[in-house]
Amino acid sequence: MINSIRNCIEGFEREILTMEQAKGQGIRDVLNTMGLSHVKLPSSQVIALMDMLTDGITPVSPDIVTAMLTICEGYKKLLFAMAGLLEEGVMNAPAPVDTPPRQETAPQEPDRDDSPPSDASEDDKQASASSGTKAPTPPNDESEHAQQQTNQAIKASSISSIRVDTERLDNIIELVGKLMVTYAVISQAGGAGTQQAASSLRELDLIITNLQTEVNAVRLVPLKQIFVPMHRLVNSLAQKMGKKLSFDIQGDSLALDKTIVESLNEPLVHLLRNAVDHGLEMPEERKAAGKPAAGSVRLSASRRGENAYIEIKDDGHGLDPDRILTKAVEKGIVEPDAELEERDIFRLILESGFSTAAEVTDVSGRGVGMDAVINVIRNTLDGEIDIHSTPGHGSTFTLEIPLSRSANEGIVEALVCRLGQDQFIIPSQDVVEIYVPRPQEVVDLPDGRQTVDVRGHVHTLLRLGDYLDIETDISDMSRAQAVVVRVGELRTAILVDEVLRQQQVVITKFTLPVGEIFSLPILGYGMMGESDALVVDVEALVRSFCAEEPTA
């Protein structure tokens, strides 16, 4: 039994090392052999990590190889436990026998602490003669060292992606913030200004604006960094599925903020997989339909105004609205008698768990792909996705991404609002409009909540004073102001006593872990010159308020 278990696990290890020497070729077979491709993972983001490794988007690093070899050791220990052999010390006894697989990887990793495994095995022999508890020590050291290398690799990748020392970048942003605060102090002094002082302030304002623009430009990363690896993904899928295609990339020189580019990687993987799997027909089907045998998939990027647009277009058979609607009715997403426009029917494929695939494969059918796409585009990037399709001619998925940076980064435009004797800051990027509601426009719902009619659109009314337990000065609704904000598809009217002004503020994080101590929708505090105020985390506020159980 002992030899049988060893032979099984050594077969796994040989496949892993062969795959490593082939620079990642055969990773799919290794995952299948070890059973990792069949693990049921409830998170779409974790599934995406596995898919990106399988499709070659994520390179096979030494740390991944080490982790897979560690899994083999875990399998061995499990099998020994099932056979009742652990108490006999068989895990420690054959240590020299397990040495050769480790020696094969040593020349490729000369800087690792575990590169001379044969020495460690000799130590194990000596340790086993005096004490049987010292043998597991090297694996713990190895695991800790591997974790340190992983952290260093992540940090190095983050720095190299923008080719700027992050510490220097943080210093620049901090200096810009202090410069802006100084400008605010001077501008709010009032009464003591002369014509020369006014001219200096205008020049200072121009300098601040230019400096802020330059700092933002430092963070820009070309889309080429994530577009180019998609060639391998698309070609690999096409070859696996027996399809022919030409893959065209346009606009990859467009530079966007680093956080946006990093977030776009996962949605693009899913959309391109869908284009190849669901969109394109087999060569025989295309010829029968009068099309070229080779299909076409195009990934393009452009910028219009303050938004970036990413398009994934194919010339396949397009979306079938009848099939989508039938599947949606079967899953209970829509009512059988619902009357939907074609555009609304197409958007049903964005629902969580929705899939029209006839069978579940390692490419499609799990219903998690579009769910992951919509989660990143709407929730992370505050963007939108649009779908156009013509039966027999293909589909186009357009991602609309706002280019404004997230509100928790440095300098932002914001509304300064008053609530009782306190001031709060609401980032302008989340604001749709400011409205003064009339009492007759407010409706009390049976569940205890309220809605307000804002120019024909009904929004949930969130009384910020009641939510934060702060006493307000204004009891008359007609004297208060409602700040209408948008978070994804949610729109809410936040009621405050007064909107004082709009200005640029410097958002700074708390020095203490306030967010871990108190569950409050606060990003940090905003510096406005002579005074500071708390910054409302609009997304957290709206989602938390909408998720609360209504009180009857």
Side-chain angles (χ1 to χ4, degrees):
M1 178 62 70
I2 294 176
N3 291 333
S4 298
I5 294 176
R6 288 175 185 164
N7 292 335
C8 291
I9 301 303
E10 286 176 1
F12 290 171
E13 292 175 338
R14 280 194 297 269
E15 284 195 37
I16 294 172
L17 296 172
T18 301
M19 177 270 299
E20 182 188 30
Q21 293 173 355
K23 298 183 178 179
Q25 295 295 329
I27 180 65
R28 185 187 299 274
D29 295 334
V30 172
L31 294 177
N32 289 336
T33 301
M34 298 180 66
L36 298 178
S37 59
H38 303 293
V39 177
K40 293 184 178 181
L41 302 170
S43 170
S44 60
Q45 293 180 333
V46 178
I47 291 175
L49 288 177
M50 294 291 292
D51 291 342
M52 292 170 69
L53 176 63
T54 304
D55 294 329
I57 300 299
T58 301
V60 178
S61 65
D63 292 323
I64 293 178
V65 173
T66 301
M68 296 179 75
L69 291 173
T70 303
I71 292 176
C72 291
E73 291 297 319
Y75 282 168
K76 184 189 297 184
K77 186 174 183 179
L78 173 62
L79 293 173
F80 282 149
M82 294 169 63
L85 301 173
L86 275 183
E87 295 180 358
E88 301 178 15
V90 293
M91 285 292 291
N92 294 333
V97 178
D98 292 335
T99 300
R102 295 280 183 169
Q103 288 177 337
E104 291 180 23
T105 61
Q108 300 179 19
E109 301 173 359
D111 57 333
R112 294 179 63 85
D113 292 344
D114 56 352
S115 55
S118 58
D119 294 339
S121 300
E122 292 297 328
D123 292 341
D124 292 346
K125 292 180 180 179
Q126 296 175 5
S128 61
S130 57
S131 174
T133 60
K134 296 182 180 180
T137 302
N140 292 336
D141 296 338
E142 174 186 333
S143 177
E144 183 177 347
H145 179 68
Q147 182 63 36
Q148 292 176 353
Q149 284 195 328
T150 301
N151 295 337
Q152 293 173 358
I154 294 174
K155 183 178 179 181
S157 174
S158 177
I159 294 174
S160 63
S161 62
I162 56 177
R163 291 181 174 85
V164 173
D165 188 341
T166 53
E167 182 178 358
R168 177 173 297 177
L169 182 62
D170 292 340
N171 291 338
I172 294 176
I173 295 177
E174 182 180 358
L175 290 173
V176 174
K178 292 180 179 179
L179 185 61
M180 204 209 75
V181 172
T182 303
Y183 165 74
V185 172
I186 297 175
S187 62
Q188 293 173 13
T194 62
Q195 184 174 1
Q196 182 178 2
S199 176
S200 299
L201 283 175
R202 286 193 297 269
E203 184 175 355
L204 181 59
D205 188 19
L206 179 62
I207 293 173
I208 293 174
T209 302
N210 292 337
L211 184 56
Q212 184 178 354
T213 302
E214 291 297 325
V215 171
N216 289 338
V218 171
R219 294 176 55 92
L220 299 182
V221 176
L223 286 171
K224 183 182 299 183
Q225 292 198 11
I226 61 172
F227 275 20
V228 172
M230 297 300 170
H231 273 288
R232 182 176 179 180
L233 167 68
V234 172
N235 293 332
S236 174
L237 282 176
Q239 183 178 9
K240 176 183 177 181
M241 305 181 69
K243 296 182 178 181
K244 298 180 180 180
L245 62 83
S246 62
F247 182 49
D248 183 33
I249 291 180
Q250 299 177 1
D252 59 351
S253 60
L254 178 64
L256 302 179
D257 190 87
K258 170 180 172 288
T259 55
I260 296 178
V261 174
E262 290 176 343
S263 299
L264 281 173
N265 194 47
E266 181 183 348
L268 291 182
V269 168
H270 287 295
L271 290 173
L272 288 172
R273 288 166 66 98
N274 283 349
V276 177
D277 184 23
H278 296 298
L280 297 183
E281 312 95 331
M282 298 298 291
E284 298 77 11
E285 297 178 38
R286 294 183 62 85
K287 289 180 180 179
K291 296 181 179 180
S296 173
V297 176
R298 187 182 70 186
L299 173 61
S300 62
S302 61
R303 174 173 178 170
R304 296 193 292 272
E306 291 302 313
N307 292 318
Y309 295 86
I310 314 294
E311 282 190 356
I312 297 89
K313 184 176 183 179
D314 66 78
D315 66 343
H317 50 64
L319 298 176
D320 186 347
D322 294 334
R323 184 183 178 191
I324 293 174
L325 185 58
T326 301
K327 198 72 174 181
V329 172
E330 291 178 0
K331 289 183 171 291
I333 298 176
V334 296
E335 297 296 331
D337 57 348
E339 296 183 2
L340 301 177
E341 296 183 0
E342 189 176 69
R343 181 178 180 181
D344 295 327
I345 294 177
F346 290 157
R347 297 181 70 84
L348 291 175
I349 67 175
L350 304 177
E351 296 293 331
S352 177
F354 186 89
S355 175
T356 57
E359 59 181 3
V360 178
T361 68
D362 57 352
V363 176
S364 63
R366 293 164 295 182
V368 299
M370 297 306 296
D371 187 26
V373 171
I374 206 66
N375 179 64
V376 173
I377 298 302
R378 286 183 178 169
N379 299 338
T380 303
L381 298 178
D382 198 23
E384 193 53 74
I385 180 170
D386 195 22
I387 305 173
H388 290 279
S389 182
T390 303
H393 293 83
S395 306
T396 302
F397 290 78
T398 304
L399 310 181
E400 181 182 356
I401 312 297
L403 300 180
S404 56
R405 293 171 59 189
S406 60
N408 58 359
E409 297 178 3
I411 307 168
V412 299
E413 289 285 343
L415 296 180
V416 182
C417 305
R418 183 177 64 82
L419 197 63
Q421 302 301 315
D422 300 311
Q423 292 185 2
F424 289 88
I425 294 173
I426 299 178
S428 297
Q429 68 178 40
D430 301 315
V431 177
V432 178
E433 62 177 315
I434 302 172
Y435 185 73
V436 179
R438 292 175 291 182
Q440 60 269 28
E441 295 173 336
V442 178
V443 177
D444 295 323
L445 301 179
D447 61 8
R449 300 192 181 192
Q450 292 181 313
T451 62
V452 58
D453 187 328
V454 181
R455 297 185 178 89
H457 298 281
V458 178
H459 304 304
T460 300
L461 183 64
L462 193 162
R463 295 177 179 266
L464 189 59
D466 294 344
Y467 190 88
L468 298 178
D469 196 20
I470 296 177
E471 184 177 353
T472 61
D473 290 342
I474 298 177
S475 57
D476 186 1
M477 175 68 71
S478 60
R479 296 176 56 194
Q481 290 180 293
V483 180
V484 181
V485 297
R486 179 176 69 91
V487 177
E489 292 187 331
L490 300 175
R491 292 203 179 198
T492 303
I494 302 176
L495 193 68
V496 298
D497 288 349
E498 183 182 6
V499 177
L500 300 176
R501 62 186 179 275
Q502 180 176 2
Q503 71 171 79
Q504 287 188 331
V505 299
V506 180
I507 297 181
T508 304
K509 292 291 187 181
F510 294 111
T511 55
L512 297 176
V514 177
E516 299 177 6
I517 301 174
F518 304 101
S519 179
L520 291 175
I522 301 297
L523 280 175
Y525 66 93
M527 297 185 292
M528 300 181 294
E530 294 181 337
S531 61
D532 299 334
L534 294 176
V535 182
V536 177
D537 187 343
V538 175
E539 180 177 354
L541 173 66
V542 172
R543 295 193 183 281
S544 174
F545 180 74
C546 293
E548 286 183 351
E549 290 292 335
T551 56

